[in-house]
Amino acid sequence: MSFKTTDQNRFSVATPIYYVNDLPHMGSAYTTIAADAIARFHRLQNQSVLMITGTDEHGQKIQRTAEAAGQSPQAHCDYYSAAFAALWEKMNIQPDRFIRTTSARHEAIVYEFFQRVWDNGDIYMGQQQGWYCVSCEEFKEERELLEEHHCPLHPNKAAEWRDEQNYFFRLSKYQSALEQLYSDRPDFIQPESRRNEVLSFVSQGLQDFSISRINVEWGLPLPVNPDHTIYVWFDALVYYVTACVDPEAEPTLANALSGGWPVNLHLIGKDILRFHAVYWPAMLMSAGLPLPQQVYGHGFLTKDGQKMGKSLGNVIDPVDLVARYGSDAIRYYFLKEIEFGRDGDFSEVRFVNILNADLANDLGNLLNRTLKMVYKYCDRQVPTVAIADISTEDILRSKGKTLGAQVAQAYEVLAFSQACEAILALVRASNKYVDEQAPWTLYKQGKRAELEVVLYAVLESVRLAAYLLSPLIPNISNAIYQQLGYSVDFNHPDVAEVAPFEIHALWGSLPVGQTLGEAMPIFQRLELPTPPI
Ligand code: MSP
């Protein structure tokens, strides 16, 4: 897959890279599901798209976990990294590139990046004293910690006192450049609440931070002093640049620049906002590289109000969830039910109820009952109706007319929930329309023209809903399109070539006379297991 900075119409989205200290949980899948949906939306618009992800494999946390398991760190990383890649496949997530920080290509990029920062005079040796949370891989201010120096994100773990010589990055030098960035580009950090958090943090004055470790073997040796290894976060952030190098090209910063760096969008959870909105742009400025367009910090999936995480042991197993309910159900639930940017609690009762209501009843039944009527009354073919003959007052036509643009706008700003609500509103209006227009009565009364308008309008509304929901539920959209007589694969990266947005996002594009496929339930009603999760 090639992606170039010279591509006029391009879009790139990056997820963080995941720590391989344990198997992925639903919280780690959340960012990646959102990134995949947004990548799919841009592919629908026929843009050249690059979606990147990977695994973060160095550092003390990984070293300790591997040791505790009696494994070599590399063997440990190989196993867990593969588990992440396998989960993305199960969730129907299609990253274009998957980067591992233990790869030689990434190492080459980190060294070139480090050298630039070094040559710029931004690295110096100093004494680091402070409380270190190994689970966050981050020094914490004493005032940020709970009792007995426990980390608020990992309340069962105490931060450890460190007093050692480290190399430091001159973050303080970039104070005013960063402030300038935030004021020149108010969209750089989104949503607004996260932007404010960063502004307030930066206004307190930036401290230099240490970028080497003396007591961690599992990392890249510091080129200027091999007794130290590079701090895992310095190493990890640079993955974004590594991922832009075409896999066929030499791993150099120049090739990252021609291969698509900087990315448009960093999607991250709010716990790692500072690294992405403060440290990372400063590191890029120091290395003389352009900055990404936007950093979006989403909320947490919580269980009983606490961040879901392996360290806390309150996780939901995504492999189990996907085996039980399928990928579309999970993608839909998390993106629709949790307003992106805010925290959201998972409840299996709610999960089952929402999916049954939206996908099995509202969308699934609508398609099913309409298809059966079309089979019976119109010989299995999309009724031959001229759009001009459908009144502009027709509720489905008028709602459908603006829906594509409205949903596109919602996807642009990552308002997945809003996009779903708007689409579902058309679906619900369609159900009501069928009940009110009663096609079976029109048929009995011999009102052929009216009957055909009603059936066309409903089929077309289901089609439009399927198209616009395809970034979230591509398999269900495939099934709907198939039953409507199309052969379109929403999982194909070039889907826009056969189903372009300019045509398919418009109400009224369903070809008249098209022979319909077999009617089959698109989503099986879910049963709640006992006891629920
Ligand atoms: N390795 C670092 C990121 C380095 S990026 C250069 C890291 N890894 S992580 O595995 O701990 O988290 C990866 C992503 O998963 C982060 O965006 C984080 O916010 C997200 N999530 C992990 N648990 C989460 C929830 N419970 N809820 C939502 N997302 C959370 O940080």
Side-chain angles (χ1 to χ4, degrees), residues 385-415:
V385 171
I387 294 296
D389 292 341
I390 304 178
S391 159
T392 49
E393 309 277 291
D394 181 282
I395 183 75
L396 300 190
R397 181 177 175 182
S398 68
K399 267 188 182 298
K401 188 167 173 238
T402 50
L403 188 67
Q406 198 185 337
V407 168
Q409 217 172 21
Y411 280 136
E412 288 290 350
V413 295
L414 310 177

PDB file of all heavy atoms in Angstrom, residues 385-415:
ATOM      1  N   VAL A 385     -39.654   4.185 -10.379  1.00  0.00           N
ATOM      2  CA  VAL A 385     -40.227   5.456  -9.936  1.00  0.00           C
ATOM      3  C   VAL A 385     -39.258   6.565 -10.327  1.00  0.00           C
ATOM      4  O   VAL A 385     -38.060   6.435 -10.080  1.00  0.00           O
ATOM      5  CB  VAL A 385     -40.377   5.448  -8.388  1.00  0.00           C
ATOM      6  CG1 VAL A 385     -40.746   6.811  -7.860  1.00  0.00           C
ATOM      7  CG2 VAL A 385     -41.394   4.409  -7.960  1.00  0.00           C
ATOM      8  N   ALA A 386     -39.769   7.611 -10.939  1.00  0.00           N
ATOM      9  CA  ALA A 386     -38.894   8.755 -11.225  1.00  0.00           C
ATOM     10  C   ALA A 386     -38.845   9.615  -9.973  1.00  0.00           C
ATOM     11  O   ALA A 386     -39.890   9.896  -9.370  1.00  0.00           O
ATOM     12  CB  ALA A 386     -39.443   9.560 -12.392  1.00  0.00           C
ATOM     13  N   ILE A 387     -37.629   9.964  -9.566  1.00  0.00           N
ATOM     14  CA  ILE A 387     -37.499  10.747  -8.323  1.00  0.00           C
ATOM     15  C   ILE A 387     -38.366  12.003  -8.400  1.00  0.00           C
ATOM     16  O   ILE A 387     -38.987  12.414  -7.419  1.00  0.00           O
ATOM     17  CB  ILE A 387     -36.023  11.116  -8.070  1.00  0.00           C
ATOM     18  CG1 ILE A 387     -35.216   9.857  -7.793  1.00  0.00           C
ATOM     19  CG2 ILE A 387     -35.868  12.080  -6.891  1.00  0.00           C
ATOM     20  CD1 ILE A 387     -35.614   9.099  -6.541  1.00  0.00           C
ATOM     21  N   ALA A 388     -38.455  12.556  -9.607  1.00  0.00           N
ATOM     22  CA  ALA A 388     -39.248  13.781  -9.768  1.00  0.00           C
ATOM     23  C   ALA A 388     -40.714  13.544  -9.404  1.00  0.00           C
ATOM     24  O   ALA A 388     -41.433  14.483  -9.055  1.00  0.00           O
ATOM     25  CB  ALA A 388     -39.128  14.270 -11.193  1.00  0.00           C
ATOM     26  N   ASP A 389     -41.134  12.277  -9.468  1.00  0.00           N
ATOM     27  CA  ASP A 389     -42.537  11.993  -9.138  1.00  0.00           C
ATOM     28  C   ASP A 389     -42.762  11.825  -7.637  1.00  0.00           C
ATOM     29  O   ASP A 389     -43.894  11.621  -7.193  1.00  0.00           O
ATOM     30  CB  ASP A 389     -43.003  10.717  -9.855  1.00  0.00           C
ATOM     31  CG  ASP A 389     -43.081  10.936 -11.359  1.00  0.00           C
ATOM     32  OD1 ASP A 389     -43.141  12.121 -11.774  1.00  0.00           O
ATOM     33  OD2 ASP A 389     -43.052   9.943 -12.101  1.00  0.00           O
ATOM     34  N   ILE A 390     -41.694  11.846  -6.875  1.00  0.00           N
ATOM     35  CA  ILE A 390     -41.864  11.768  -5.419  1.00  0.00           C
ATOM     36  C   ILE A 390     -41.937  13.206  -4.911  1.00  0.00           C
ATOM     37  O   ILE A 390     -41.048  14.014  -5.205  1.00  0.00           O
ATOM     38  CB  ILE A 390     -40.692  11.020  -4.750  1.00  0.00           C
ATOM     39  CG1 ILE A 390     -40.536   9.629  -5.368  1.00  0.00           C
ATOM     40  CG2 ILE A 390     -40.883  10.938  -3.237  1.00  0.00           C
ATOM     41  CD1 ILE A 390     -39.387   8.814  -4.813  1.00  0.00           C
ATOM     42  N   SER A 391     -42.976  13.480  -4.174  1.00  0.00           N
ATOM     43  CA  SER A 391     -43.171  14.855  -3.702  1.00  0.00           C
ATOM     44  C   SER A 391     -41.967  15.331  -2.890  1.00  0.00           C
ATOM     45  O   SER A 391     -41.384  14.569  -2.112  1.00  0.00           O
ATOM     46  CB  SER A 391     -44.423  14.892  -2.831  1.00  0.00           C
ATOM     47  OG  SER A 391     -44.383  16.025  -2.006  1.00  0.00           O
ATOM     48  N   THR A 392     -41.609  16.590  -3.064  1.00  0.00           N
ATOM     49  CA  THR A 392     -40.508  17.123  -2.256  1.00  0.00           C
ATOM     50  C   THR A 392     -40.935  17.208  -0.786  1.00  0.00           C
ATOM     51  O   THR A 392     -40.110  17.358   0.103  1.00  0.00           O
ATOM     52  CB  THR A 392     -40.070  18.521  -2.734  1.00  0.00           C
ATOM     53  OG1 THR A 392     -41.244  19.312  -2.865  1.00  0.00           O
ATOM     54  CG2 THR A 392     -39.318  18.460  -4.037  1.00  0.00           C
ATOM     55  N   GLU A 393     -42.236  17.105  -0.556  1.00  0.00           N
ATOM     56  CA  GLU A 393     -42.760  17.110   0.820  1.00  0.00           C
ATOM     57  C   GLU A 393     -42.652  15.733   1.463  1.00  0.00           C
ATOM     58  O   GLU A 393     -42.847  15.593   2.662  1.00  0.00           O
ATOM     59  CB  GLU A 393     -44.259  17.466   0.826  1.00  0.00           C
ATOM     60  CG  GLU A 393     -44.621  18.706   0.053  1.00  0.00           C
ATOM     61  CD  GLU A 393     -44.407  19.948   0.877  1.00  0.00           C
ATOM     62  OE1 GLU A 393     -45.162  20.127   1.840  1.00  0.00           O
ATOM     63  OE2 GLU A 393     -43.463  20.711   0.571  1.00  0.00           O
ATOM     64  N   ASP A 394     -42.412  14.717   0.641  1.00  0.00           N
ATOM     65  CA  ASP A 394     -42.330  13.360   1.172  1.00  0.00           C
ATOM     66  C   ASP A 394     -41.304  13.345   2.300  1.00  0.00           C
ATOM     67  O   ASP A 394     -40.153  13.773   2.132  1.00  0.00           O
ATOM     68  CB  ASP A 394     -41.899  12.405   0.054  1.00  0.00           C
ATOM     69  CG  ASP A 394     -41.811  10.971   0.509  1.00  0.00           C
ATOM     70  OD1 ASP A 394     -40.790  10.627   1.175  1.00  0.00           O
ATOM     71  OD2 ASP A 394     -42.728  10.195   0.224  1.00  0.00           O
ATOM     72  N   ILE A 395     -41.717  12.814   3.435  1.00  0.00           N
ATOM     73  CA  ILE A 395     -40.881  12.907   4.625  1.00  0.00           C
ATOM     74  C   ILE A 395     -39.538  12.192   4.449  1.00  0.00           C
ATOM     75  O   ILE A 395     -38.493  12.687   4.877  1.00  0.00           O
ATOM     76  CB  ILE A 395     -41.658  12.387   5.876  1.00  0.00           C
ATOM     77  CG1 ILE A 395     -40.847  12.531   7.142  1.00  0.00           C
ATOM     78  CG2 ILE A 395     -42.144  10.981   5.728  1.00  0.00           C
ATOM     79  CD1 ILE A 395     -40.785  13.931   7.633  1.00  0.00           C
ATOM     80  N   LEU A 396     -39.553  11.051   3.766  1.00  0.00           N
ATOM     81  CA  LEU A 396     -38.285  10.324   3.599  1.00  0.00           C
ATOM     82  C   LEU A 396     -37.384  11.033   2.585  1.00  0.00           C
ATOM     83  O   LEU A 396     -36.179  11.152   2.793  1.00  0.00           O
ATOM     84  CB  LEU A 396     -38.542   8.874   3.182  1.00  0.00           C
ATOM     85  CG  LEU A 396     -39.367   8.036   4.162  1.00  0.00           C
ATOM     86  CD1 LEU A 396     -39.348   6.567   3.747  1.00  0.00           C
ATOM     87  CD2 LEU A 396     -38.874   8.172   5.598  1.00  0.00           C
ATOM     88  N   ARG A 397     -38.007  11.524   1.544  1.00  0.00           N
ATOM     89  CA  ARG A 397     -37.196  12.244   0.545  1.00  0.00           C
ATOM     90  C   ARG A 397     -36.563  13.486   1.196  1.00  0.00           C
ATOM     91  O   ARG A 397     -35.375  13.763   1.002  1.00  0.00           O
ATOM     92  CB  ARG A 397     -38.058  12.646  -0.653  1.00  0.00           C
ATOM     93  CG  ARG A 397     -37.229  13.370  -1.695  1.00  0.00           C
ATOM     94  CD  ARG A 397     -37.999  13.743  -2.937  1.00  0.00           C
ATOM     95  NE  ARG A 397     -37.124  14.540  -3.802  1.00  0.00           N
ATOM     96  CZ  ARG A 397     -37.469  15.073  -4.944  1.00  0.00           C
ATOM     97  NH1 ARG A 397     -38.692  14.878  -5.420  1.00  0.00           N
ATOM     98  NH2 ARG A 397     -36.609  15.779  -5.645  1.00  0.00           N
ATOM     99  N   SER A 398     -37.364  14.219   1.948  1.00  0.00           N
ATOM    100  CA  SER A 398     -36.805  15.466   2.487  1.00  0.00           C
ATOM    101  C   SER A 398     -35.777  15.186   3.592  1.00  0.00           C
ATOM    102  O   SER A 398     -34.755  15.848   3.677  1.00  0.00           O
ATOM    103  CB  SER A 398     -37.907  16.423   2.939  1.00  0.00           C
ATOM    104  OG  SER A 398     -38.547  15.893   4.064  1.00  0.00           O
ATOM    105  N   LYS A 399     -36.012  14.173   4.404  1.00  0.00           N
ATOM    106  CA  LYS A 399     -34.998  13.824   5.419  1.00  0.00           C
ATOM    107  C   LYS A 399     -33.734  13.277   4.759  1.00  0.00           C
ATOM    108  O   LYS A 399     -32.612  13.589   5.138  1.00  0.00           O
ATOM    109  CB  LYS A 399     -35.536  12.728   6.356  1.00  0.00           C
ATOM    110  CG  LYS A 399     -36.193  13.235   7.618  1.00  0.00           C
ATOM    111  CD  LYS A 399     -36.487  12.041   8.534  1.00  0.00           C
ATOM    112  CE  LYS A 399     -37.197  12.430   9.798  1.00  0.00           C
ATOM    113  NZ  LYS A 399     -36.465  13.341  10.659  1.00  0.00           N
ATOM    114  N   GLY A 400     -33.957  12.437   3.740  1.00  0.00           N
ATOM    115  CA  GLY A 400     -32.834  11.781   3.059  1.00  0.00           C
ATOM    116  C   GLY A 400     -31.954  12.770   2.317  1.00  0.00           C
ATOM    117  O   GLY A 400     -30.737  12.589   2.222  1.00  0.00           O
ATOM    118  N   LYS A 401     -32.566  13.824   1.845  1.00  0.00           N
ATOM    119  CA  LYS A 401     -31.841  14.789   1.010  1.00  0.00           C
ATOM    120  C   LYS A 401     -30.634  15.405   1.731  1.00  0.00           C
ATOM    121  O   LYS A 401     -29.578  15.596   1.144  1.00  0.00           O
ATOM    122  CB  LYS A 401     -32.826  15.893   0.603  1.00  0.00           C
ATOM    123  CG  LYS A 401     -32.285  16.845  -0.401  1.00  0.00           C
ATOM    124  CD  LYS A 401     -33.386  17.705  -0.980  1.00  0.00           C
ATOM    125  CE  LYS A 401     -32.754  18.757  -1.861  1.00  0.00           C
ATOM    126  NZ  LYS A 401     -33.066  20.094  -1.452  1.00  0.00           N
ATOM    127  N   THR A 402     -30.799  15.688   3.004  1.00  0.00           N
ATOM    128  CA  THR A 402     -29.733  16.392   3.714  1.00  0.00           C
ATOM    129  C   THR A 402     -28.856  15.445   4.551  1.00  0.00           C
ATOM    130  O   THR A 402     -27.853  15.860   5.128  1.00  0.00           O
ATOM    131  CB  THR A 402     -30.336  17.422   4.689  1.00  0.00           C
ATOM    132  OG1 THR A 402     -31.328  16.748   5.471  1.00  0.00           O
ATOM    133  CG2 THR A 402     -30.957  18.585   3.946  1.00  0.00           C
ATOM    134  N   LEU A 403     -29.308  14.168   4.634  1.00  0.00           N
ATOM    135  CA  LEU A 403     -28.632  13.270   5.574  1.00  0.00           C
ATOM    136  C   LEU A 403     -27.145  13.038   5.265  1.00  0.00           C
ATOM    137  O   LEU A 403     -26.306  13.070   6.177  1.00  0.00           O
ATOM    138  CB  LEU A 403     -29.370  11.925   5.635  1.00  0.00           C
ATOM    139  CG  LEU A 403     -28.884  10.988   6.720  1.00  0.00           C
ATOM    140  CD1 LEU A 403     -29.205  11.547   8.109  1.00  0.00           C
ATOM    141  CD2 LEU A 403     -29.486   9.594   6.573  1.00  0.00           C
ATOM    142  N   GLY A 404     -26.825  12.826   3.995  1.00  0.00           N
ATOM    143  CA  GLY A 404     -25.435  12.528   3.626  1.00  0.00           C
ATOM    144  C   GLY A 404     -24.483  13.611   4.116  1.00  0.00           C
ATOM    145  O   GLY A 404     -23.452  13.336   4.742  1.00  0.00           O
ATOM    146  N   ALA A 405     -24.857  14.867   3.860  1.00  0.00           N
ATOM    147  CA  ALA A 405     -23.991  15.984   4.242  1.00  0.00           C
ATOM    148  C   ALA A 405     -23.905  16.104   5.764  1.00  0.00           C
ATOM    149  O   ALA A 405     -22.818  16.343   6.324  1.00  0.00           O
ATOM    150  CB  ALA A 405     -24.536  17.269   3.652  1.00  0.00           C
ATOM    151  N   GLN A 406     -25.052  15.884   6.396  1.00  0.00           N
ATOM    152  CA  GLN A 406     -25.102  15.994   7.866  1.00  0.00           C
ATOM    153  C   GLN A 406     -24.209  14.928   8.532  1.00  0.00           C
ATOM    154  O   GLN A 406     -23.439  15.212   9.444  1.00  0.00           O
ATOM    155  CB  GLN A 406     -26.554  15.750   8.259  1.00  0.00           C
ATOM    156  CG  GLN A 406     -26.980  16.203   9.603  1.00  0.00           C
ATOM    157  CD  GLN A 406     -28.438  15.737   9.846  1.00  0.00           C
ATOM    158  OE1 GLN A 406     -29.198  15.476   8.918  1.00  0.00           O
ATOM    159  NE2 GLN A 406     -28.797  15.634  11.106  1.00  0.00           N
ATOM    160  N   VAL A 407     -24.291  13.715   8.007  1.00  0.00           N
ATOM    161  CA  VAL A 407     -23.504  12.621   8.580  1.00  0.00           C
ATOM    162  C   VAL A 407     -22.011  12.818   8.281  1.00  0.00           C
ATOM    163  O   VAL A 407     -21.155  12.590   9.140  1.00  0.00           O
ATOM    164  CB  VAL A 407     -24.027  11.258   8.071  1.00  0.00           C
ATOM    165  CG1 VAL A 407     -23.086  10.126   8.406  1.00  0.00           C
ATOM    166  CG2 VAL A 407     -25.415  10.993   8.639  1.00  0.00           C
ATOM    167  N   ALA A 408     -21.724  13.295   7.078  1.00  0.00           N
ATOM    168  CA  ALA A 408     -20.320  13.531   6.723  1.00  0.00           C
ATOM    169  C   ALA A 408     -19.717  14.556   7.674  1.00  0.00           C
ATOM    170  O   ALA A 408     -18.596  14.389   8.167  1.00  0.00           O
ATOM    171  CB  ALA A 408     -20.218  14.018   5.286  1.00  0.00           C
ATOM    172  N   GLN A 409     -20.492  15.564   7.974  1.00  0.00           N
ATOM    173  CA  GLN A 409     -19.999  16.603   8.874  1.00  0.00           C
ATOM    174  C   GLN A 409     -19.746  16.031  10.275  1.00  0.00           C
ATOM    175  O   GLN A 409     -18.754  16.354  10.922  1.00  0.00           O
ATOM    176  CB  GLN A 409     -21.060  17.681   8.972  1.00  0.00           C
ATOM    177  CG  GLN A 409     -20.511  19.060   9.046  1.00  0.00           C
ATOM    178  CD  GLN A 409     -21.646  20.069   8.943  1.00  0.00           C
ATOM    179  OE1 GLN A 409     -22.809  19.736   9.210  1.00  0.00           O
ATOM    180  NE2 GLN A 409     -21.320  21.273   8.559  1.00  0.00           N
ATOM    181  N   ALA A 410     -20.635  15.155  10.697  1.00  0.00           N
ATOM    182  CA  ALA A 410     -20.463  14.531  12.015  1.00  0.00           C
ATOM    183  C   ALA A 410     -19.205  13.659  12.030  1.00  0.00           C
ATOM    184  O   ALA A 410     -18.393  13.728  12.961  1.00  0.00           O
ATOM    185  CB  ALA A 410     -21.698  13.712  12.377  1.00  0.00           C
ATOM    186  N   TYR A 411     -19.009  12.853  10.989  1.00  0.00           N
ATOM    187  CA  TYR A 411     -17.803  12.015  10.940  1.00  0.00           C
ATOM    188  C   TYR A 411     -16.535  12.876  10.926  1.00  0.00           C
ATOM    189  O   TYR A 411     -15.547  12.538  11.561  1.00  0.00           O
ATOM    190  CB  TYR A 411     -17.802  11.104   9.707  1.00  0.00           C
ATOM    191  CG  TYR A 411     -18.649   9.850   9.825  1.00  0.00           C
ATOM    192  CD1 TYR A 411     -19.481   9.445   8.786  1.00  0.00           C
ATOM    193  CD2 TYR A 411     -18.599   9.038  10.952  1.00  0.00           C
ATOM    194  CE1 TYR A 411     -20.247   8.281   8.864  1.00  0.00           C
ATOM    195  CE2 TYR A 411     -19.362   7.877  11.047  1.00  0.00           C
ATOM    196  CZ  TYR A 411     -20.179   7.507   9.994  1.00  0.00           C
ATOM    197  OH  TYR A 411     -20.922   6.358  10.090  1.00  0.00           O
ATOM    198  N   GLU A 412     -16.591  13.980  10.197  1.00  0.00           N
ATOM    199  CA  GLU A 412     -15.414  14.864  10.109  1.00  0.00           C
ATOM    200  C   GLU A 412     -14.931  15.278  11.500  1.00  0.00           C
ATOM    201  O   GLU A 412     -13.744  15.398  11.736  1.00  0.00           O
ATOM    202  CB  GLU A 412     -15.734  16.164   9.348  1.00  0.00           C
ATOM    203  CG  GLU A 412     -15.924  16.038   7.854  1.00  0.00           C
ATOM    204  CD  GLU A 412     -14.655  15.736   7.091  1.00  0.00           C
ATOM    205  OE1 GLU A 412     -13.564  15.810   7.681  1.00  0.00           O
ATOM    206  OE2 GLU A 412     -14.775  15.392   5.893  1.00  0.00           O
ATOM    207  N   VAL A 413     -15.893  15.528  12.400  1.00  0.00           N
ATOM    208  CA  VAL A 413     -15.494  15.984  13.737  1.00  0.00           C
ATOM    209  C   VAL A 413     -15.568  14.844  14.763  1.00  0.00           C
ATOM    210  O   VAL A 413     -15.613  15.080  15.967  1.00  0.00           O
ATOM    211  CB  VAL A 413     -16.319  17.203  14.208  1.00  0.00           C
ATOM    212  CG1 VAL A 413     -16.039  18.406  13.333  1.00  0.00           C
ATOM    213  CG2 VAL A 413     -17.813  16.908  14.239  1.00  0.00           C
ATOM    214  N   LEU A 414     -15.593  13.611  14.263  1.00  0.00           N
ATOM    215  CA  LEU A 414     -15.568  12.409  15.094  1.00  0.00           C
ATOM    216  C   LEU A 414     -16.789  12.283  16.012  1.00  0.00           C
ATOM    217  O   LEU A 414     -16.705  11.654  17.062  1.00  0.00           O
ATOM    218  CB  LEU A 414     -14.286  12.352  15.937  1.00  0.00           C
ATOM    219  CG  LEU A 414     -12.977  12.563  15.192  1.00  0.00           C
ATOM    220  CD1 LEU A 414     -11.803  12.563  16.162  1.00  0.00           C
ATOM    221  CD2 LEU A 414     -12.762  11.491  14.142  1.00  0.00           C
ATOM    222  N   ALA A 415     -17.888  12.881  15.574  1.00  0.00           N
ATOM    223  CA  ALA A 415     -19.117  12.775  16.370  1.00  0.00           C
ATOM    224  C   ALA A 415     -19.896  11.543  15.901  1.00  0.00           C
ATOM    225  O   ALA A 415     -20.955  11.638  15.283  1.00  0.00           O
ATOM    226  CB  ALA A 415     -19.931  14.050  16.219  1.00  0.00           C
TER     227      ALA A 415
END
